[in-house]
Amino acid sequence: MIAKVIVDVPSRQTDRPFDYEVPLSMRKWIEVGSRVGVPFGGRVLQGFVTGLAEETDIDVKRLKPVSELLDPVPPLLPDLVELAKWLSDKYCCSWTTALQAMIPAALKGKAERLVGIQDEEAAAEELPPELLEWLVGSAKLVKLDALLARFPNYAGPVKAALRTGTLAEQTSIRDRLAVRKVLTVFVPEGAEEVREAMVKLPARAAKQRELLARMLEHGAPVPLQALLAETGGSAASVRSLADKGLLILREVETQRDPYAGREFERTAPLPLTAGQEEVYSRIRRVIGEGVPQTMLLHGVTGSGKTEVYLQSIQFCLEQSKQAIVLVPEISLTPQMVERFKGRFGDAVAVLHSRLSNGERYDEWRKIRNRRVQVAIGARSAIFAPFERIGLIIIDEEHESSYKQEESPKYHARDVAVRRARQHGAAVVLGSATPSLETFAAASRPQASRDQGREQALLPMPDRVGGRPMPPVTVVDMREELKEGNRSMFSRLLHRSLAERLERGEQSVLLLNRRGYSTFVMCRSCGYTAACPHCDISLTYHQKTRALRCHYCGHAEQAPATCPACESEHIRYFGTGTQKVEEELAKLFPGIRVIRMDVDTTTEKNSHEKLLKQFGERKADVLLGTQMVAKGLDFPYVTLVGVIAADTSLNLPDFRSAERTFQLLTQVAGRAGRHHLPGEVVVQTYSPEHYAIVTAQKHDYAAFVNEELRHRGALGYPPYCRLILITMSHEQLPLLSAVCDRFAAALRELAEHEGVLLPLASGFGRALEVLGPVASPIARMKDRYRFQCVIKYRGNIDASALVRRVLVPFTEGPPQRQVQFSIDVDPQVIL
Ligand code: ADP
Ligand code: ZN
Ligand code: ZN
């Protein structure tokens, strides 16, 4: 039997399966998706089995055997292995990078070198006595690292003994993290006999007697540590009881459960509103049919999307199928988790980035071992190893965090559609402000022809219980200034805040800080502190008074005078939220503010803690960045204020209007979700901008119409798709020459395929190559950067074109090589 193995070397040369012989002992166990250790270039490497075959083209004499099988249950399933291949094709990354993205970090094993005595006689003669003694006394094989750490002076003799064959070496893959096992104390069968034996224990064994008594009282196994803590006894006493056969000491597998000890109040399904019922029955029908179908659930904030998700999942489970729920990382707050755990209890695994590697591994194992049927998590939960998926839900589908920024640069939404096709599952994309791509695909089936499928549009235009959308007032800050108000609060927002304080209601304040960083500027000469290695300004960190580069990590002390003109008028622009907080304290003495931004949420669980405090009404104002806009549901929030809506409008990003509209709509949706009516105040310097005008009216359709017009005129998605190719090298002339050749080769191939046509040409299939031009950040980590953008429309496999053109550019000596970074469907191209 032959195993086809993708080895863990992320290079284009090795990115294909290699053949290995499967030893007899492994045949029953090895499957597609198994993780193995295989000899590769003189080492042992971790790899994944991507196929099994009876025969191979390779000379049998050269065929090497698989050296180890790493898990009794394969961590990956055949459908995931196939999905990884698709990922690597579509996103132009290696197959192994795609496979690695699917497993928890704990399973990224590392090779470890082991040594043992091979020739006992020779060893007795050649090895230093203490080394020999230690080796004989140890297990059969010892880690080479451990041996050298203990006997640093014997590296020479060890090397010699390995060469002569006195010692033998073996490599083995070790996981970075293992299943956690806990020493646990059991009472043996026949408690009565134990009780009798206890009475007969000698008087000096009082401690042992107490331990036994406590164990009999418990009547259930107790972890050793807990027992010792409880009784003050010693491990030696327990061991001595175990030797007498009165207790049993055994390792037991345990779960690192991040939600252990937390009670989730169970909830029952709510009777659905007519609007919910219509949508729910559609979803139910699709799940029941088992035919893949993507649906856009376009529901305004507070329309009850989550209840529809919950009942759809319930139906899915009743069909003995599993469900995956993706939510933006930021929404994985206890509020969201509570709603799912409350409905489905222990059937839910939660995967988010704040888990430790161990916790994450254990949650993942619950999925793989079929102990849960629902996985809720951020982006990578789309790879949850379920075997029969009936439903995939992506909440807030427009969120940019569904796109991974590092390789594989996948979009979870597109992966979901693909995975659903493998399983015959339903995909529900939920949002109050769908991305233009999704909305276009759902409203015009033809538009999504290149995905080979249509999407259905399921609207929920009304809030539950007929609650009105909160009224939004837009304040023109230029007018405020004219009237002599220089504060960052308009008079209306000031008055509204004062009213909330008086009534004991709560407010949420959003400082839209996207793209705004804290920097240093000289007021006299305009000097700004920039990184010496990257073309980007340094960021000021108030806590350490240091200037830091976010790209390469370069740090320096903030200067007291301007390095350019020696003026003392050098200004540090600290975090905006801090300033707002100070201003609030000045205007409303005694006001209780919870500030939520990158500075206050670095610690584990700090995000949750802050929200909990706010939920318990321990603060009047929740002030923060984008984090406060999403998914929160607090009944006493009746005012939402946006300090400056423009920051995200002025970014050179073709999605800036869309992002602004989404943010304003989301944050407005936080107000008045319950019995108390809400109100929203948006401060801006461009009140006439359509993103702000339409957000004020809660008019998604009007926004989309206007935005589609702009996108069409400029040739941006959803009218085309994009691939961004960034190339970098330390030497500018070399880089520039290679980039020109690359772009020319790309155009030539497209021409050859008959698709090199202007997008404006009106043909169904068209492709343009823009560039090369210098990247917006033209130098990073001392490497120059250029970019090309491919715009294309229609049924063209543009990724395949890029992969083909790339081949000759990624061969040759590494120091001459230009680094290529491919971003398919990029979020930002600037
Ligand atoms: P969305 O996710 O669309 O913003 P939610 O699912 O959070 O909306 O629902 C908003 C509020 O309405 C929540 O407090 C929820 O408990 C309540 N709700 C949802 N569906 C129903 C229903 N069928 N009957 C009564 N209340 C409901
Ligand atoms: Zn200066
Ligand atoms: Zn830098």
Side-chain angles (χ1 to χ4, degrees):
M1 193 188 208
I2 306 295
K4 306 206 167 277
V5 178
I6 285 278
V7 291
D8 186 11
V9 183
S11 91
R12 289 184 213 268
Q13 282 80 23
T14 55
D15 192 35
R16 62 174 180 87
F18 289 88
D19 286 4
Y20 289 90
E21 193 201 325
V22 180
L24 214 52
S25 60
M26 292 180 197
R27 281 192 192 173
K28 275 216 177 88
W29 297 91
I30 212 156
E31 290 173 48
V32 170
S34 286
R35 194 166 56 113
V36 291
V38 290
F40 192 88
R43 294 176 291 167
V44 170
L45 293 180
Q46 175 167 307
F48 284 94
V49 177
T50 58
L52 292 167
E54 285 310 316
E55 280 166 30
T56 172
D57 304 333
I58 295 180
D59 180 2
V60 198
K61 280 190 233 97
R62 289 184 47 216
L63 198 64
K64 293 185 187 138
V66 173
S67 41
E68 357 174 27
L69 181 63
L70 295 171
D71 324 83
V73 177
L76 292 175
L77 298 159
D79 78 290
L80 285 169
V81 171
E82 193 209 319
L83 188 68
K85 178 74 179 114
W86 175 83
L87 273 170
S88 83
D89 285 344
K90 172 157 168 95
Y91 296 104
C92 304
C93 67
S94 67
W95 199 348
T96 188
T97 305
L99 287 164
Q100 293 290 347
M102 297 180 167
I103 54 166
L107 291 180
K108 287 167 193 161
K110 214 175 82 196
E112 192 172 76
R113 295 169 74 188
L114 305 170
V115 290
I117 296 176
Q118 171 86 353
D119 182 338
E120 283 178 28
E121 252 170 61
E125 265 172 41
E126 289 170 23
L127 294 179
E130 356 162 27
L131 178 58
L132 181 69
E133 194 182 324
W134 190 68
L135 276 171
V136 172
S138 310
K140 241 170 89 195
L141 292 168
V142 299
K143 293 182 205 166
L144 185 58
D145 285 350
L147 183 148
L148 292 178
R150 199 182 160 97
F151 301 103
N153 298 329
Y154 292 154
V158 169
K159 238 184 235 164
L162 279 168
R163 216 174 313 123
T164 57
T166 304
L167 290 179
E169 187 187 350
Q170 196 182 314
T171 319
S172 173
I173 305 284
R174 285 271 304 197
D175 286 340
R176 295 203 186 142
L177 230 153
V179 170
R180 183 194 275 182
K181 292 188 175 146
V182 172
L183 261 181
T184 305
V185 190
F186 294 74
V187 178
E189 296 271 323
E192 264 323 298
E193 283 164 39
V194 176
R195 202 176 299 277
E196 278 165 32
M198 178 179 77
V199 182
K200 286 185 201 141
L201 282 173
R204 61 194 154 76
K207 266 285 159 211
Q208 292 187 16
R209 196 176 299 172
E210 191 191 334
L211 279 166
L212 270 185
R214 197 61 71 94
M215 280 307 296
L216 286 166
E217 216 170 281
H218 277 296
V222 180
L224 177 63
Q225 287 307 327
L227 181 68
L228 298 184
E230 190 184 318
T231 57
S234 69
S237 311
V238 176
R239 274 186 215 288
S240 130
L241 285 166
D243 289 342
K244 290 184 193 126
L246 297 177
L247 286 178
I248 297 170
L249 203 50
R250 199 180 332 131
E251 287 203 314
V252 173
E253 257 191 42
T254 60
Q255 292 281 329
R256 287 160 275 223
D257 184 351
Y259 297 96
R262 290 271 302 276
E263 286 294 320
F264 292 95
E265 205 177 308
R266 290 307 281 256
T267 62
L270 296 171
L272 296 179
T273 64
Q276 286 173 321
E277 180 60 44
E278 200 176 319
V279 164
Y280 168 60
S281 62
R282 266 298 275 287
I283 298 172
R284 202 177 44 195
R285 199 163 65 234
V286 172
I287 298 172
E289 282 168 359
V291 178
Q293 160 93 63
T294 304
M295 290 162 277
L296 168 58
L297 173 48
H298 180 198
V300 298
T301 53
S303 59
K305 293 187 287 296
T306 311
E307 185 63 30
V308 172
Y309 300 155
L310 291 169
Q311 299 202 16
S312 303
I313 294 168
Q314 177 81 50
F315 180 78
C316 178
L317 302 190
E318 284 162 11
Q319 307 292 302
S320 313
K321 294 182 187 175
Q322 298 101 39
I324 296 176
V325 185
L326 300 189
V327 298
E329 185 71 54
I330 217 100
S331 312
L332 272 171
T333 54
Q335 270 198 329
M336 197 66 171
V337 172
E338 222 162 81
R339 289 174 86 170
F340 284 82
K341 288 252 184 195
R343 194 62 62 84
F344 303 111
D346 291 337
V348 182
V350 183
L351 300 161
H352 58 74
S353 66
R354 288 184 304 275
L355 299 181
S356 69
N357 278 343
E359 287 170 339
R360 176 171 266 275
Y361 178 38
D362 286 350
E363 289 292 294
W364 179 88
R365 281 196 309 140
K366 282 189 209 164
I367 299 169
R368 186 67 188 91
N369 299 338
R370 306 184 184 140
R371 275 182 288 138
V372 297
Q373 287 73 46
V374 182
I376 169 167
R379 187 173 62 220
S380 66
I382 193 57
F383 302 122
F386 283 130
E387 285 157 89
R388 228 174 140 238
I389 300 169
L391 174 63
I392 301 173
I393 290 167
I394 304 189
D395 189 32
E396 312 284 5
E397 68 84 31
H398 59 275
E399 278 288 317
S400 58
S401 65
Y402 287 124
K403 180 78 172 12
Q404 174 146 301
E405 294 298 332
E406 64 269 19
S407 186
K409 299 182 179 180
Y410 66 90
H411 199 301
R413 189 174 55 211
D414 296 321
V415 180
V417 169
R418 170 78 199 185
R419 198 152 189 227
R421 216 188 302 173
Q422 294 175 311
H423 286 250
V427 179
V428 175
L429 307 175
S431 178
T433 51
S435 67
L436 266 79
E437 286 92 330
T438 301
F439 189 76
S443 32
R444 285 178 293 125
Q446 292 88 342
S448 58
R449 228 182 358 206
D450 50 336
Q451 290 181 348
R453 46 181 314 130
E454 58 184 76
Q455 298 188 2
L457 179 60
L458 314 178
M460 292 210 299
D462 302 310
R463 281 190 152 184
V464 170
R467 280 169 213 135
M469 295 301 283
V472 178
T473 311
V474 173
V475 180
D476 186 343
M477 291 305 276
R478 293 169 304 190
E479 292 296 321
E480 292 289 313
L481 202 61
K482 266 192 218 152
E483 308 269 328
N485 178 11
R486 306 184 135 266
S487 149
M488 61 176 85
F489 294 102
S490 61
R491 288 157 299 173
L492 175 63
L493 186 52
H494 185 262
R495 198 162 58 233
S496 307
L497 276 166
E499 278 170 24
R500 294 320 182 281
L501 286 174
E502 232 164 71
R503 296 209 292 261
E505 294 169 6
Q506 293 179 297
S507 310
V508 168
L509 286 181
L510 170 84
L511 185 71
N512 185 0
R513 247 176 35 104
R514 188 167 176 266
Y516 169 87
S517 70
T518 48
F519 61 105
V520 176
M521 196 174 92
C522 172
R523 282 264 171 117
S524 307
C525 75
Y527 160 90
T528 55
C531 176
H533 310 286
C534 313
D535 284 348
I536 193 91
S537 37
L538 294 169
T539 302
Y540 178 59
H541 289 255
Q542 209 152 27
K543 255 192 202 151
T544 50
R545 293 191 52 77
L547 297 173
R548 198 176 279 281
C549 171
H550 277 183
Y551 289 100
C552 72
H554 168 87
E556 57 187 62
Q557 203 55 40
T561 54
C562 173
C565 73
E566 293 180 4
S567 151
E568 284 171 8
H569 295 288
I570 190 152
R571 283 283 309 266
Y572 301 98
F573 296 88
T575 62
T577 38
Q578 275 172 4
K579 257 197 236 150
V580 180
E581 189 179 17
E582 283 162 23
E583 178 107 1
L584 277 171
K586 240 185 273 162
L587 292 175
F588 307 100
I591 192 170
R592 298 168 306 164
V593 178
I594 290 180
R595 180 161 64 89
M596 211 160 80
D597 55 28
V598 281
D599 286 341
T600 63
T601 51
T602 43
E603 269 169 49
K604 192 177 166 172
N605 297 335
S606 47
H607 190 229
E608 283 83 341
K609 276 182 212 147
L610 294 177
L611 288 180
K612 185 158 175 279
Q613 287 171 20
F614 190 63
E616 289 164 357
R617 300 175 75 187
K618 289 186 179 145
D620 308 302
V621 173
L622 176 65
L623 162 68
T625 51
Q626 270 73 341
M627 292 178 197
V628 302
K630 315 274 158 65
L632 310 181
D633 191 6
F634 296 112
Y636 290 94
V637 172
T638 59
L639 173 68
V640 168
V642 179
I643 308 277
D646 309 270
T647 337
S648 61
L649 264 187
N650 301 324
L651 290 177
D653 168 2
F654 73 89
R655 288 195 177 87
S656 62
E658 182 180 354
R659 296 270 174 251
T660 305
F661 178 83
Q662 284 162 350
L663 185 65
L664 293 180
T665 307
Q666 290 298 333
V667 74
R670 302 307 118 216
R673 293 168 68 85
H674 296 265
H675 54 287
L676 296 169
E679 177 191 0
V680 182
V681 177
V682 175
Q683 305 186 156
T684 174
Y685 290 93
S686 33
E688 66 290 335
H689 193 287
Y690 64 93
I692 289 173
V693 174
T694 51
Q696 178 187 15
K697 296 188 200 140
H698 305 286
D699 194 346
Y700 176 79
F703 170 74
V704 165
N705 276 338
E706 186 65 24
E707 180 68 6
L708 282 176
R709 229 167 39 76
H710 287 269
R711 299 280 181 96
L714 298 169
Y716 280 121
Y719 292 103
C720 65
R721 306 189 76 153
L722 305 171
I723 297 181
L724 170 68
I725 301 154
T726 305
M727 296 154 274
S728 67
H729 199 277
E730 282 154 24
Q731 298 162 27
L732 191 56
L734 184 138
L735 174 66
S736 155
V738 171
C739 289
D740 285 342
R741 272 198 312 183
F742 176 78
L746 202 52
R747 288 191 180 103
E748 198 178 314
L749 181 62
E751 173 94 73
H752 180 78
E753 299 282 315
V755 294
L756 191 69
L757 290 165
L759 289 181
S761 65
F763 285 97
R765 299 200 313 163
L767 184 148
E768 285 176 16
V769 180
L770 312 182
V773 295
S775 295
I777 297 164
R779 195 171 49 116
M780 198 187 284
K781 298 182 193 171
D782 289 320
R783 295 176 72 93
Y784 293 94
R785 290 152 45 92
F786 274 77
Q787 68 181 35
C788 279
V789 174
I790 302 177
K791 288 185 171 185
Y792 66 102
R793 172 179 72 221
N795 188 12
I796 298 174
D797 189 348
S799 300
L801 295 185
V802 172
R803 288 198 316 273
R804 269 168 66 190
V805 171
L806 214 48
V807 173
F809 288 90
T810 48
E811 285 163 358
Q815 67 278 10
R816 298 281 296 167
Q817 270 180 25
V818 167
Q819 235 175 54
F820 283 80
S821 156
I822 317 284
D823 193 351
V824 176
D825 301 332
Q827 282 299 302
V828 188
I829 59 166
L830 297 176

